[in-house]
Amino acid sequence: MRGSSIRYLLVVAIIAVVFGASFGFSETKVSGKTASAFIDKKINKSGTSDYYDNLTDSDAFRPGDVITYKIFVKNIGDVNLSDLIVKDLFPSFVNYHSAPSGGDYKDGVWTINIGTLKPGDAKTLMLRGQVVGDTDLPSDKSLICGLKNRAEMHGDVTGGLLVSDDAQFCIEHGVITPVAATSLPESGAGSVILVSTLLSGAGLAFRKFTK
């Protein structure tokens, strides 16, 4: 089991280096054996069935959009991992929507107890968030990038266990900015026209990747 776990991790690491993938990995020793866990957090590109590690500004979400996340966890060590708790920490501007995998949500954190994973066992968890309304987004920014949704797995082993991974994305919305007030050239009366312009910004995000 130890040899196959190492080979599995090496393959994943090579893919990550070549394609820029992100994942979480943790390892500790328990009575001479290896307790090791792997976690990979992905985000669904709106309007598709594809999941990525991160999304760029060209795939930005809009106010009210529902975001679907997928969390893959696996025991790649030699011993059972018990009392496993998976948590998902929601970023600013995204509220909890639902979780097909179950679990509980409180104060910005979704939590689910997945029990025990034997060596080689894996689970895939699904949950959804929803972007807040336009009025709850910053009025001075049309593009907000670098938002991180973080997944963690905690386990009961000697020395503790924590693996985590982030999925990053952007939110785009309209910003209304008053340009100028101009008086109409009519005698005796002063009329004002307020011109509003929708600004769309360009942002820097992270390269997306799918496995």
Side-chain angles (χ1 to χ4, degrees), residues 96-112:
Y96 172 79
H97 180 275
S98 59
S101 297
D104 299 300
Y105 176 82
K106 183 179 180 181
D107 299 331
V109 181
W110 173 77
T111 304
I112 187 170

Side-chain angles (χ1 to χ4, degrees), residues 17-100:
V17 171
V18 174
F19 294 102
S22 63
F23 57 86
F25 166 73
S26 179
E27 180 176 291
T28 187
K29 293 294 183 180
V30 180
S31 301
K33 294 186 177 181
T34 301
S36 186
F38 175 88
I39 188 170
D40 189 22
K41 173 73 173 288
K42 292 187 180 295
I43 185 171
N44 174 243
K45 180 179 177 181
S46 183
T48 75
S49 59
D50 300 324
Y51 286 82
Y52 298 87
D53 290 309
N54 303 297
L55 293 177
T56 67
D57 56 344
S58 62
D59 301 312
F61 294 98
R62 302 286 299 178
D65 280 354
V66 173
I67 305 173
T68 302
Y69 301 102
K70 179 165 62 176
I71 305 170
F72 175 80
V73 295
K74 185 172 183 176
N75 180 348
I76 56 175
D78 302 325
V79 297
N80 290 351
L81 300 178
S82 59
D83 299 325
L84 291 173
I85 303 293
V86 175
K87 297 183 178 182
D88 195 271
L89 286 63
F90 280 70
S92 301
F93 314 122
V94 179
N95 294 326
Y96 172 79
H97 180 275
S98 59

Side-chain angles (χ1 to χ4, degrees), residues 137-142 173 175:
L137 292 166
S139 60
D140 60 338
K141 293 182 179 179
S142 62
H173 73 119
V175 178

